[in-house]
């Protein structure tokens, strides 16, 4: 277990600041405020875990899990077929000292099971919803509201393909949560974000960002790439969910109640293998480990497991990764007014518009135009042209 004294001392050491800590370039938080948030979150998480445990043995929940096993198995089979991969997934075992209690769990199901086409899907594709992601984790200074509704967010970004499935389950009922709109975003292989200025990809870029609506089983899936790193943060993937969202005619979104804010983290040895490949190995920014990342530490407590399970699609890391995670949420929550919900920009007709009231200031290299500093290029698709609403979805 990670106690609060360890969290605070690690955060201070990582930031070299007394009154505040830095979680993203340009992002500051007061340590005492973080402490209050952690204390409050832990109380809610304990109650949430009890709720989940009381309903996870229900017939309905067991049926949901069985459907999940089959769906993940079929998705992996489809990925392998598209890549004409016939070999078994790579056997890969972890042999690291304890980082935190949950990172000690081997999330790499390839290594645990030495997957073959004949391996029982139930043994491979299970997930543990008793471990939840905390909604109080910051969305950082680079959240863009109103992104495109799409499954494939890669655009022209080079990197290790990552097929990411996320399933949302109500902590009170263990039932799936449909009709949530889920944002995903992460930096590219060399550590830069699209959609924002301040040395990032530029307001009119959209790479590695997108939104999907959860289906009847509470599931979304994205085709993206494994995130790169940048100074001050461990490698991570952002997730944010909203209910009661208005869908515009141009397949972007507006409005909605924020029901969950979270970040996924990735094991160090997986990062090392990914970053030995191009273009990750061209990244000159300083690497921050999970141990030294404040948000990873405060998430990986008794009731949180922010590390997805994953399996290699083929024999090589360059064949791509299939990853999945189940997240327990309070479907009726609304964190729109939370300190950690910050909108850096909005994507709308004509392109992105910066939020002048944003509480964060972005940082990093590049010229803000998406053409230098490893930021990536402006996408080939045109910006939205119509912002009229077409429908409203609710959870």
């Amino acid at each position: 277990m990670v106690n609060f004294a360890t969290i605070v001392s690690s955060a201070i050491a990582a930031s070299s600041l007394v009154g505040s800590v830095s979680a993203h370039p340009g992002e500051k938080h007061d340590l005492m405020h973080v402490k209050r948030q952690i204390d409050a979150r832990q109380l809610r998480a304990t109650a949430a875990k009890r709720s989940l445990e009381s309903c996870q043995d229900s017939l309905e929940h067991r049926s949901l899990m069985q459907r999940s096993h089959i769906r993940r198995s079929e998705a992996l089979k489809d990925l392998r077929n598209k890549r004409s991969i016939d070999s078994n997934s790579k056997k890969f075992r972890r042999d690291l000292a304890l980082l935190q209690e949950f990172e000690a769990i081997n999330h790499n199901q390839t290594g645990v099971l030495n997957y073959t086409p004949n391996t029982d899907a139930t043994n491979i594709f299970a997930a543990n919803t008793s471990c939840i992601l905390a909604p109080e984790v910051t969305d950082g200074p680079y959240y863009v509201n109103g992104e495109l509704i799409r499954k494939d967010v890669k655009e022209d970004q080079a990197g290790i393909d990552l097929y990411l499935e996320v399933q949302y389950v109500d902590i009170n009922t263990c039932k799936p949560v449909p009709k949530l709109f889920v944002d995903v975003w992460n930096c590219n292989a060399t550590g830069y974000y699209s959609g924002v200025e301040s040395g990032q990809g530029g307001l009119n870029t959209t790479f590695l960002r997108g939104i999907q609506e959860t289906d009847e089983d509470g599931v979304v899936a994205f085709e993206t790439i494994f995130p790169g790193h940048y100074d001050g943060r461990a490698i991570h993937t952002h997730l944010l969910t909203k209910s009661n969202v208005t869908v515009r005619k141009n397949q972007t979104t507006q409005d909605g109640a924020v029901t969950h804010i979270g970040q996924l983290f990735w094991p160090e040895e997986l990062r090392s293998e990914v970053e030995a490949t191009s273009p990750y190995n061209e990244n000159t920014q300083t690497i921050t480990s999970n141990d030294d990342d404040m948000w990873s530490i405060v998430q990986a407590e008794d009731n949180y497991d922010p590390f997805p399970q994953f399996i290699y699609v083929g024999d090589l890391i360059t064949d791509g990764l299939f990853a999945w995670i189940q997240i327990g949420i309070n479907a009726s929550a609304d964190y729109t007014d939370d300190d950690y919900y910050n909108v850096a920009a909005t994507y709308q007709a004509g392109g992105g518009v910066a939020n002048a009231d944003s509480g964060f200031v972005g940082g990093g290299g590049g010229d803000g135009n998406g053409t230098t500093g490893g930021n990536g290029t402006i996408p080939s698709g045109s910006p939205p042209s119509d912002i009229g609403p077409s429908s409203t979805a609710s959870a």
Side-chain angles (χ1 to χ4, degrees):
M1 178 178 178
V2 182
N3 61 38
F4 181 71
T6 302
I7 295 169
V8 173
S9 61
S10 298
I12 293 174
S15 66
S16 299
L17 295 173
V18 176
S20 63
V21 293
S22 177
H24 273 274
E27 179 183 352
K28 310 291 183 183
H29 288 298
D30 179 82
L31 278 175
M32 293 309 297
H33 179 70
V34 172
K35 179 185 184 304
R36 290 192 296 271
Q37 292 283 358
I38 293 170
D39 290 345
R41 182 183 69 186
Q42 190 61 35
L43 291 173
R44 286 194 296 272
T46 301
K49 187 173 182 179
R50 286 199 299 267
S51 295
L52 283 166
E53 289 172 346
S54 68
C55 62
Q56 281 188 321
D57 288 334
S58 68
L59 177 61
E60 185 173 5
H61 184 73
R62 292 200 303 270
S63 297
L64 174 66
M65 294 303 97
Q66 183 61 37
R67 292 196 300 274
S68 297
H69 303 156
I70 296 171
R71 180 186 60 255
R72 292 166 189 152
S73 178
E74 291 300 316
L76 178 60
K77 185 185 301 182
D78 185 56
L79 288 173
R80 289 168 59 84
N81 288 339
K82 286 180 179 179
R83 291 163 172 77
S84 299
I85 296 173
D86 297 321
S87 61
N88 295 340
S89 296
K90 177 182 176 182
K91 185 175 181 179
F92 186 86
R93 293 187 180 274
R94 295 183 59 189
D95 186 20
L96 296 179
L98 292 180
L99 168 65
Q100 302 292 354
E101 184 173 344
F102 278 117
E103 197 186 11
I105 297 173
N106 190 342
H107 297 80
N108 184 347
Q109 297 303 295
T110 306
V112 174
L113 298 159
N114 193 16
Y115 172 78
T116 73
N118 298 320
T119 305
D120 187 346
T122 301
N123 293 332
I124 301 172
F125 294 111
N128 183 6
T129 44
S130 66
C131 305
I132 64 174
L133 256 67
E136 290 79 10
V137 172
T138 175
D139 66 1
Y142 304 137
Y143 171 65
V144 177
N145 196 18
E147 285 289 354
L148 296 168
I149 298 175
R150 56 183 181 170
K151 180 176 183 177
D152 188 344
V153 302
K154 291 185 293 185
E155 295 187 7
D156 60 355
Q157 293 298 303
I160 300 299
D161 286 343
L162 172 64
Y163 185 95
L164 176 63
E165 181 195 283
V166 186
Q167 184 172 40
Y168 291 90
V169 177
D170 192 309
I171 58 173
N172 297 307
T173 65
C174 288
K175 295 180 180 180
V177 186
K179 297 184 179 180
L180 286 177
F181 281 77
V182 183
D183 277 85
V184 68
W185 71 102
N186 57 258
C187 68
N188 68 5
T190 50
Y192 293 88
Y193 285 89
S194 68
V196 289
E197 297 180 307
S198 301
Q200 300 300 313
L203 287 169
N204 292 332
T205 58
T206 56
F207 59 82
L208 306 180
R209 292 180 182 271
I211 297 173
Q212 285 277 288
E213 183 181 12
T214 57
D215 63 16
E216 291 304 309
D217 278 342
V219 174
V220 291
F222 292 97
E223 296 176 17
T224 182
I225 67 169
F226 192 85
H229 72 266
Y230 55 90
D231 190 14
R233 290 302 319 275
I235 285 180
H236 60 284
T237 301
H238 289 273
L239 294 170
L240 186 146
T241 68
K242 290 182 178 180
S243 61
N244 300 308
V245 167
T246 298
V247 179
R248 297 165 172 154
K249 293 178 181 178
N250 59 18
Q251 290 301 291
T252 62
T253 63
Q254 65 183 25
D255 306 325
V258 179
T259 55
H260 177 265
I261 303 171
Q263 296 178 19
L264 307 181
F265 293 85
W266 304 91
E268 295 291 349
E269 76 281 12
L270 178 61
R271 174 191 62 76
S272 296
E273 185 163 6
V274 168
E275 294 207 325
T277 68
S278 178
Y280 297 92
N281 56 11
E282 301 166 19
N283 190 343
T284 59
Q285 300 190 64
T286 302
I287 295 175
T288 300
S289 70
N290 285 323
D291 255 340
D292 292 331
D293 184 282
M294 177 185 179
W295 295 112
S296 175
I297 291 172
V298 300
Q299 278 193 307
E301 297 183 5
D302 281 351
N303 298 314
Y304 307 111
D305 186 354
F307 297 92
Q309 292 172 299
F310 63 93
I311 191 169
Y312 287 72
V313 174
D315 188 54
L316 303 172
I317 189 69
T318 49
D319 291 328
L321 294 163
F322 178 87
W324 66 97
I325 191 169
Q326 288 180 337
I327 299 175
I329 67 169
N330 182 349
S332 62
D334 186 357
Y335 295 93
T336 306
D337 295 326
D338 193 276
D339 290 348
Y340 290 149
Y341 176 59
N342 174 73
V343 178
T346 299
Y347 190 61
Q348 57 184 34
V353 177
N355 178 15
D357 296 326
S358 174
F360 298 121
V361 179
D367 62 2
N369 296 319
T371 57
T372 65
N375 296 26
T377 57
I378 293 176
S380 56
S382 59
S385 58
D386 183 354
I387 58 173
S390 61
S391 64
T392 300
S394 60

